[in-house]
Amino acid sequence: MIAQPKASHFVDGAYVEDTAGAVIEVIYPATGAVIARLHEATPAVIEAALASATRAQTAWAALRPVDRGRILRRAADIIRDRNADLARLETLDTGKPLQETLVADWPSGADALEYFAGLSPTITGQTIPLGRDFVYTIREALGVCVGIGAWNYPSQIACWKSAPALALGNAMVFKPSETTPLCALKVAEILHEAGLPAGLYNVVQGLGDVGAALVSDPLVDKVSLTGSLPTGR
């Protein structure tokens, strides 16, 4: 019952380790066994993740929406092809029964990627007549988005937050819950395999201090949080 990932973080298209960060033990809730040991993101890891997202985002936003959508669709297909193995990882990460993770968790994430892949080419501006004149609007990407995940649906939330952000030309730095840190790394790995350029989906591990560092950084343009009201405040 070991689920040790290649490294604790996924930054700029590759797994990254920094053993200077505090140890995070991953517990399989059904037995209490330690199934992995990760390290909390140090300031250097956080800085690298935000820098890579900032660097990659401009070219990604300039790409045709249909081309961005094709990459997300490929990621959805990979998830569906590997659903059995991914569901087992979700069960180890959360303690949920396999009968649930096989049908609810990763399949829902794949659906989100597929949905926003199809939606992205349809998001356009408007032309508004004003008598003889007119005005028009243009939809532009926000920039670097931070996602803060929760423990109960780690793969779903990682996909739900990343799919709309990436589809519309943004970059994502995602911090999963410290109690369920494994599945987001697989999301990053699969997106990269599907053709997502390096730097556009980064995963950093940690507790509240890491989240606070992310959401307060001036490079961040948008924050999406799934969590409690005190955490949101």
Side-chain angles (χ1 to χ4, degrees):
M1 300 276 279
I2 299 298
Q4 185 67 39
K6 296 177 183 177
S8 299
H9 319 287
F10 196 94
V11 175
D12 205 15
Y15 278 98
V16 171
E17 190 61 273
D18 187 342
T19 56
V23 174
I24 299 173
E25 290 190 338
V26 185
I27 308 297
Y28 178 43
T31 64
V34 176
I35 58 172
R37 286 182 173 87
L38 283 65
H39 291 272
E40 190 169 37
T42 60
V45 170
I46 296 170
E47 181 180 350
L50 290 171
S52 68
T54 302
R55 184 171 59 249
Q57 186 270 327
T58 302
W60 177 247
L63 201 64
R64 293 189 310 161
V66 68
D67 293 326
R68 296 197 298 262
R70 287 187 181 120
I71 293 173
L72 299 187
R73 177 57 193 266
R74 282 198 291 271
D77 290 341
I78 292 170
I79 288 173
R80 292 191 177 109
D81 287 343
R82 301 175 188 171
N83 184 53
D85 290 337
L86 294 171
R88 293 186 185 95
L89 179 64
E90 183 94 15
T91 290
L92 290 173
D93 210 10
T94 64
K96 295 179 184 181
L98 192 59
Q99 65 186 28
E100 177 180 349
T101 59
L102 281 169
V103 299
D105 294 88
W106 285 94
S108 173
D111 288 347
L113 290 166
E114 183 178 41
Y115 175 82
F116 286 102
L119 183 68
S120 59
T122 73
I123 303 299
T124 60
Q126 291 179 294
T127 301
I128 305 166
L130 296 174
R132 294 181 180 180
D133 302 317
F134 69 91
V135 299
Y136 66 91
T137 64
I138 298 174
R139 300 278 187 175
E140 295 183 341
L142 290 165
V144 176
C145 301
V146 161
I148 306 293
W151 59 269
N152 53 347
Y153 289 95
S155 59
Q156 280 185 351
I157 293 171
C159 291
W160 289 348
K161 293 188 186 302
S162 64
L166 294 173
L168 275 297
N170 302 287
M172 170 67 73
V173 178
F174 187 79
K175 189 199 85 67
S177 167
E178 65 273 14
T179 61
T180 53
L182 302 178
C183 290
L185 292 169
K186 278 296 179 184
V187 173
E189 185 181 315
I190 289 167
L191 284 167
H192 185 65
E193 181 182 343
L196 188 72
L200 290 171
Y201 189 82
N202 304 278
V203 176
V204 297
Q205 309 288 356
L207 284 70
D209 288 348
V210 173
L214 288 170
V215 303
S216 61
D217 195 286
L219 292 176
V220 174
D221 299 290
K222 180 73 174 180
V223 174
S224 176
L225 164 76
T226 300
S228 66
L229 184 59
T231 300
R233 285 173 174 161

